[in-house]
Amino acid sequence: MSNISGASSGSSSTRRERVVGVPTVCWCGAQIVGKISKLDSNPYRRYFHCAYVVSNKLMDDNHVFKWVDEALLNEVERLSSEAKRLEQMMRESEIVFDGVEYEKVVFDKVLMKVKK
Ligand SMILES: [Zn+2]
């Protein structure tokens, strides 16, 4: 009788070109700088770009590049899902809030007795 089932699902996909939210550092180690587009297709649109590429005026697409509005949208989506998760946690720990509520009721009753 053999009981071997080594199906460990450990697939790690490293996608360095897709940064979630606002990028802070490029994979090359350089800082991310905010720039304003001068392209005709996207005039005055703000973007984040690798400082190394910007300072050396390279035409390198491998470094971090992200539109600011897309980055902020990502950030908002991430935060709203985070808020939902926290809301769920609050609901699950409702007992704690019930305890606080109970203490408040007791306190109110004591106050009424004192007033009488
Ligand atoms: Zn870079």
Side-chain angles (χ1 to χ4, degrees):
M1 212 174 130
S2 61
N3 195 16
I4 303 160
S5 57
S8 59
S9 56
S11 55
S12 59
S13 55
T14 43
R15 288 187 294 166
R16 57 164 61 144
E17 75 274 5
R18 266 286 161 214
V19 186
V20 180
V22 178
T24 50
V25 169
C26 183
W27 58 265
C28 72
Q31 291 283 302
I32 301 299
V33 288
K35 300 285 288 176
I36 295 170
S37 167
K38 286 164 193 157
L39 296 168
D40 288 339
S41 54
N42 285 294
Y44 302 109
R45 195 178 178 190
R46 286 169 164 273
Y47 64 93
F48 293 118
H49 210 173
C50 171
Y52 176 77
V53 174
V54 171
S55 61
N56 290 285
K57 292 195 167 103
L58 299 171
M59 296 292 277
D60 197 333
D61 289 335
N62 286 324
H63 291 257
V64 168
F65 172 90
K66 196 161 189 176
W67 296 112
V68 169
D69 51 325
E70 281 178 3
L72 291 180
L73 204 69
N74 270 179
E75 200 75 4
V76 169
E77 278 168 1
R78 197 174 63 79
L79 286 173
S80 72
S81 69
E82 182 78 6
K84 266 185 200 143
R85 204 173 58 80
L86 287 172
E87 208 179 282
Q88 186 68 32
M89 270 171 68
M90 295 268 272
R91 250 186 236 129
E92 278 164 11
S93 61
E94 218 164 297
I95 311 130
V96 179
F97 292 103
D98 282 351
V100 171
E101 197 64 32
Y102 175 74
E103 269 174 34
K104 194 176 165 287
V105 168
V106 171
F107 182 72
D108 283 351
K109 273 184 183 168
V110 170
L111 254 177
M112 269 162 70
K113 270 183 188 172
V114 170
K115 274 178 187 169
K116 272 178 187 173

